[in-house]
Each structure stands twice: as structure tokens, then as C-alpha cells.
């Protein structure tokens, strides 16, 4: 995993309040009467029209976004009588929308089949369950593979996860619950729940095959111990979580071995701003689309989950940055047109068109040229573009990248070693570029050929059989000639370099005596063969 603090600078052109990358803003539909927005979902009717389903204080707003430049509200469904309450969560199964709220009222079930006609019948499901009558619900998710509805943060028991059958979508049937802890939100597929236990700061993966007796498979803590939202990759090998706290990050994990959950990477939308991440969604082509409150939303390439790279963003909140629960509550990236809809708390619905662009990945390994030991703590500096800077860890490895293809100069530096600059490193979208190099320790060999960028280290002087040499060259010194001369200045051996760095062995055929080794006949080093 990248060093966490330097990871704050992982993305070239990190989001600032003035930058919006690879996203075009099409329209904004504010709500009259000061209606603030909560979460958002989407729906496609039988004619192919696309809709944003927006949770607002007074209920659910159904907005036709088929023309992204001209969205319009088709109908607003009211909530149960009582005081307005902003918290609304919405999910869709078949042609039904399921809406929950912390205002009470259980689950609102709206039949969307008649759209685009303004005819949306709805009802509230408020069953008597073991532990009481279902009323308040913080969030929900639907296991579309199994056809089951999951309700989180309810007024029942500890507020765990309640599972209900949608065999009859208008009439859910209670099946069982996982109620060991409060569950704030979660993702479920094929009877596996990835529960965000925000108060405990953990994610628990639960096998819900037996609805009356679900089994905990594993539990692990997330970085800021305030686990809000979870979403796995399509193959369920990786998991992504958010912690709803200031200075938080989107975090990736390898969950292929439930007995050994491995954190892979963290990424922030606007490093240093103290912004709060909220909800992430993973697309089938491995992009994470995430709402970030005051930073709007981001698009992150998670194809290489140990090296997440931000490739797009749009800031829907222009009144400031940083900590605070303002701005983008929810984002929905699954409409067939790939239109993205965002629910902005204060100023309504935003409709946007993204360009999903692959990252340019730069990864590699750095070693000690003499011992060949992996070097942790090497600073990788992209000259002129410090937003990509990172450090080596986990066995001398590093990983960084950008959305902007181009030619870059990369500096490798570590205390006690000679700095190496690798020029003309090509980065291309969708391409992994590998940069493996060896650094030379200070105080040995030649270290002044070209501003400390070229070095030779004689590893065994005097020598008996072969002379070992470690080297590091600039790109424009490829094909440089290593020359060995005898005590009379006669050339007795040469070697042409075809790599920037590495090790060679020479002198096997030489007789015992005194020789001089030089690069392009400069700065000769005296060596002795016994």
C-alpha cells in the first residue's frame, strides 16, 4: 500500500475548487420551497426514457433526464403525514421503487410501470416484526440476484440488517435479520452482505444463506473507524469502503482470503481539504463513482485496486470546500446512457455527462545497487508535477499515476544514496508503465559524471576471477562504452551498456595486474587483479 501521507498527492491535477475533469455539466434542477435533497437512484421505463429518483425532504421526486440539458419533474410523491425529514434512501427492483426514511412510515413502495404517464401509485409497508412495528429506516439495498430487500438502521432491535423477500414486490415478507450490531448501510449480492457498521468502525461480511441464522464470515476495521458505505468489485475479490469523517478516503481491500483481509490503497478527492467521503459505487468496467459532499463527486479508475487513480470529477458545491455535510449527498452512475445524476443537498439535481478515461499507471521497484536489497522510503518525484509523488514501501515497490498522458522525468532519491533522474518516461492511458531501478550508495564509485546522475560502483577491488560493477546511467548515456586499460594505456576490454542500470562482470580473461576502468574514457578507477 502506498505511504498514506504521501498518498495525499497521488493524482496529477488533484481536484481543486476550480477544476472539473472529464465531466460536462449539462443542467441543474433546483427544488422550489427550499426542499433539500438526500440520496438518489435511477430508473428506465418501458420506452427507454431515463429518470432520476431523488429523495427530498417531502418525499421522492421523479425527474425525466432523458434529455440531460432539459430535465423536468414528472411527479413528486409525498411521504407520510408529519414533519419533513431530509433522510431518504431509494433503490429499484423490477418496476418498483423502494423508499426509506428516518421520519417513520416504514418502506414506501412506488409502482413505476406507467411512466412516462403521471400515474405512480404507492403504498407504505409497516409490518409488525419480531421486536416491534417497522417505522424508521436509515438505508436499504436489494439483492437482485436473490430478490431480497435489506433494511439497515431501523427502529427494530440494535438496528442491524433486516432481510425481506420480494417474491411479490408489492408485498415484502420478513425472512430474518442480522442484529448483532447497528448496520448503517451495506451492499448485498447472492446472499452475501457487506455491512457498514459505522458506530463500531467495522465492515462485517455476513453469509445470509440461512435467513433465520446468518453467519459472520469476517469483520475488519476501516481506516477512520467510521464505516459508512461498502461496495465490492464485480468478481467480489475486492471491496471498497468509505468512512464518513473529515479527511477521509476511499479505501480498497483484497478480500479474496476472508482470513486475511489486506488493505491495498487509499485515495482522497481533494488532498488537504479535510473533505468527507460519502457513498461510492463500482461500475462494471471498474470505475468508482463517489459522492464527496463539498467536493461534488469523483470518478476513480480502480482497475488496479492497489493503485487507484482519480480520472474525473465535478464539484457541484460552489459555496466552499473542506469539512462539513453540504453539497453532494448521492450520485447514481448506472443509467444506460451513462448520464450521471447527483443529488446536491442545497440546490437540487445535477445532470452530467462523464468521459470514462483510463489511468496512466506508473509502478516499479527500487533496489540497492550493491546489495540488491529492496529499498523502502525512496521518494519518487515526478519533476514539475508533484501531485504524482509517492514513496516506495512493501519491498521497494511504488505505485502512482495520472489521467494525463505524456512524457515525464522521474527523480528517485533516498538519504544515503545518489539521486537518479530517469528522463522521458512515457505514460499512456490504459497502459501500465514499469520503472525498475537500482540506486547507488553514497561514498563509493564514481558519482560526478553528470550531476550525480551517472554512477559506477566497483564491488570487489582487488579481484581474483571477475570484477563486479554496478551502474546507473542517464537515458542519453545508453550505448556508453566501459573501457578497461592496462598500466601502459592499452585497451584490453570494452563493454557497451544497453540498459540504464544493472550489474555486469568483466575481467575474467585478464592476467593479474593493475588496470583502469572508465566510462567513455573519463574518470578512470584503478583496479587490481590478483
Amino acid at each position: 500500500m502506498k505511504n498514506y501521507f504521501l498518498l495525499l498527492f497521488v493524482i496529477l491535477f488533484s481536484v481543486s475548487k476550480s477544476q472539473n475533469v472529464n465531466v460536462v455539466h449539462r443542467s441543474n434542477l433546483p427544488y422550489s420551497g427550499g426542499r433539500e435533497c438526500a440520496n438518489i437512484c435511477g430508473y428506465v421505463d418501458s420506452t427507454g426514457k431515463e429518470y432520476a429518483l431523488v429523495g427530498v425532504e417531502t418525499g421522492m421526486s421523479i425527474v425525466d433526464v432523458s434529455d440531460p440539458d432539459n430535465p423536468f419533474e414528472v411527479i413528486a410523491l409525498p411521504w407520510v403525514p408529519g414533519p419533513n425529514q431530509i433522510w431518504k434512501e431509494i433503490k429499484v427492483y423490477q418496476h418498483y421503487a423502494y423508499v426509506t426514511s428516518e421520519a417513520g412510515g416504514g418502506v414506501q413502495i412506488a409502482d413505476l410501470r406507467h411512466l412516462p404517464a403521471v400515474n405512480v401509485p404507492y403504498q407504505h409497508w409497516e409490518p409488525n416484526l419480531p421486536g416491534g412495528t417497522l417505522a424508521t429506516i436509515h438505508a436499504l439495498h436489494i439483492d437482485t440476484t436473490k430478490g431480497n430487500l435489506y433494511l439497515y438502521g431501523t427502529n427494530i432491535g440494535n438496528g442491524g440488517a433486516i432481510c425481506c423477500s420480494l417474491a411479490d414486490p408489492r408485498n415484502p415478507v420478513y425472512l430474518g435479520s442480522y442484529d448483532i450490531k447497528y448496520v448503517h448501510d451495506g451492499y448485498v449480492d447472492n446472499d452475501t452482505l457487506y455491512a457498514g457498521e459505522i458506530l463500531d468502525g467495522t465492515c462485517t461480511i455476513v453469509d445470509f444463506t440461512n435467513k433465520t441464522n446468518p453467519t459472520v464470515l469476517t469483520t475488519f476495521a476501516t481506516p477512520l473507524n467510521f464505516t459508512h458505505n461498502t461496495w465490492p468489485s464485480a468478481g467480489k475479490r475486492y471491496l471498497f469502503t468509505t468512512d464518513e469523517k473529515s479527511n477521509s478516503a476511499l479505501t480498497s481491500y483484497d478480500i479474496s482470503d476472508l482470513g486475511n483481509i489486506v488493505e491495498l490503497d487509499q485515495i482522497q478527492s481533494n488532498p488537504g481539504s479535510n473533505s468527507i467521503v460519502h457513498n461510492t459505487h463500482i461500475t462494471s468496467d471498474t470505475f468508482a463513482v463517489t459522492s464527496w459532499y463539498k467536493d461534488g463527486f469523483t470518478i476513480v479508475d480502480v482497475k488496479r485496486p492497489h493503485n487507484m487513480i482519480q480520472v474525473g470529477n465535478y464539484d457541484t458545491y460552489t459555496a466552499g470546500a473542506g469539512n462539513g455535510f453540504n453539497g453532494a449527498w448521492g450520485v447514481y452512475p448506472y443509467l444506460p446512457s451513462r448520464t450521471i445524476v447527483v443529488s446536491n443537498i442545497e440546490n437540487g439535481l445535477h445532470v452530467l455527462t462523464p468521459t470514462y478515461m483510463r489511468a496512466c499507471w506508473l509502478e516499479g521497484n527500487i533496489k540497492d545497487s550493491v546489495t540488491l536489497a529492496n529499498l523502502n522510503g525512496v521518494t519518487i518525484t515526478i519533476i514539475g508535477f508533484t501531485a504524482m509523488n509517492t514513496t516506495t514501501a512493501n519491498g521497494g515497490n511504488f505505485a502512482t499515476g495520472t489521467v494525463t498522458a505524456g512524457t515525464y522525468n522521474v527523480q528517485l532519491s533516498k538519504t544515503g544514496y545518489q539521486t537518479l533522474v530517469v528522463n522521458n518516461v512515457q505514460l499512456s492511458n490504459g497502459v501500465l508503465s514499469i520503472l525498475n531501478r537500482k540506486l547507488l550508495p553514497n561514498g563509493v564509485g564514481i558519482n560526478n559524471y553528470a550531476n550525480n546522475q551517472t554512477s559506477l560502483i566497483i564491488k570487489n577491488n582487488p579481484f581474483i576471477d571477475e570484477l563486479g560493477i554496478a551502474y546507473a546511467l542517464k537515458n542519453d548515456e545508453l550505448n556508453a562504452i566501459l573501457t578497461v586499460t592496462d598500466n601502459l594505456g592499452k585497451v584490453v576490454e570494452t563493454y557497451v551498456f544497453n540498459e540504464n542500470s544493472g550489474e555486469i562482470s568483466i575481467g575474467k580473461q585478464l592476467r593479474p595486474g593493475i588496470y583502469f576502468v572508465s566510462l567513455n574514457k573519463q574518470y578512470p578507477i584503478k583496479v587490481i587483479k590478483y
Side-chain angles (χ1 to χ4, degrees), residues 44-237:
V44 182
D45 71 17
S46 59
T47 71
K49 285 184 173 292
E50 297 181 343
Y51 301 86
L53 309 180
V54 187
V56 296
E57 286 182 277
T58 53
M60 179 175 66
S61 170
I62 302 176
V63 179
D64 187 328
V65 295
S66 303
D67 178 356
D69 297 318
N70 297 286
F72 62 92
E73 187 175 59
V74 176
I75 188 173
L77 301 187
W79 197 250
V80 293
N84 292 341
Q85 224 274 2
I86 188 173
W87 271 274
K88 300 291 187 306
E89 296 282 334
I90 305 167
K91 293 292 185 289
V92 169
Y93 181 66
Q94 295 178 4
H95 54 78
Y96 294 92
Y98 298 82
V99 190
T100 62
S101 174
E102 292 194 356
V107 181
Q108 184 183 70
I109 304 171
D111 189 343
L112 307 177
R113 79 177 77 189
H114 302 297
L115 289 172
V118 185
N119 176 19
V120 183
Y122 65 92
Q123 64 192 60
H124 283 262
W125 185 61
E126 301 174 86
N128 292 318
L129 302 178
T133 300
L134 181 64
T136 61
I137 306 165
H138 181 78
L140 76 163
H141 197 266
I142 296 174
D143 179 350
T144 55
T145 301
K146 295 292 187 176
N148 293 322
L149 169 67
Y150 286 77
L151 307 173
Y152 311 120
T154 74
N155 61 296
I156 305 297
N158 291 320
I162 293 174
C163 178
C164 310
S165 170
L166 294 180
D168 178 355
R170 293 183 68 252
N171 297 288
V173 175
Y174 173 79
L175 298 178
S177 69
Y178 161 77
D179 199 42
I180 297 174
K181 301 176 183 178
Y182 172 81
V183 176
H184 191 75
D185 203 343
Y187 179 102
V188 194
D189 181 59
N190 199 28
D191 287 333
T192 301
L193 164 66
Y194 305 84
E197 297 164 334
I198 195 167
L199 301 182
D200 292 272
T202 55
C203 172
T204 293
I205 302 178
V206 182
D207 181 352
F208 247 98
T209 303
N210 185 342
K211 306 298 183 294
T212 61
N213 188 26
T215 303
V216 171
L217 300 177
T218 191
T219 298
F220 61 95
T222 54
L224 295 186
N225 302 117
F226 208 65
T227 318
H228 177 265
N229 154 250
T230 67
W231 209 282
S233 62
K236 310 302 188 294
R237 177 176 178 178

Side-chain angles (χ1 to χ4, degrees), residues 289-404:
V289 183
T290 309
S291 54
W292 277 89
Y293 284 115
K294 288 187 176 182
D295 283 346
F297 81 96
T298 64
I299 301 172
V300 172
D301 189 338
V302 298
K303 185 175 183 178
R304 299 180 65 77
H306 68 282
N307 189 14
M308 298 189 290
I309 305 296
Q310 186 167 308
V311 295
N313 74 279
Y314 197 93
D315 188 0
T316 59
Y317 183 77
T318 59
N323 189 23
F325 298 98
N326 307 93
W329 180 306
V331 58
Y332 186 79
Y334 298 118
L335 291 171
S337 66
R338 306 216 80 172
T339 292
I340 286 178
V341 288
V342 176
S343 52
N344 212 63
I345 295 171
E346 294 82 5
N347 70 349
L349 172 69
H350 291 258
V351 186
L352 309 102
T353 298
T355 298
Y356 287 98
M357 185 172 290
R358 282 291 169 206
C360 312
W361 300 282
L362 177 63
E363 300 176 14
N365 175 268
I366 311 300
K367 297 181 183 295
D368 183 302
S369 285
V370 177
T371 67
L372 299 184
N374 294 316
L375 291 180
N376 292 335
V378 177
T379 299
I380 314 298
T381 302
I382 313 303
I383 297 175
F385 300 96
T386 57
M388 285 173 63
N389 291 359
T390 186
T391 58
T392 57
N394 295 335
N397 298 316
F398 74 91
T400 185
T402 177
V403 68
T404 307

Side-chain angles (χ1 to χ4, degrees), residues 433-460:
S433 298
I434 299 295
L435 185 65
N436 296 328
R437 288 295 185 272
K438 300 180 181 71
L439 291 187
L440 301 166
N442 288 335
V444 291
I446 301 170
N447 62 1
N448 195 32
Y449 276 149
N451 298 321
N452 287 337
Q453 295 175 23
T454 300
S455 297
L456 299 179
I457 291 181
I458 306 301
K459 299 181 65 176
N460 54 328

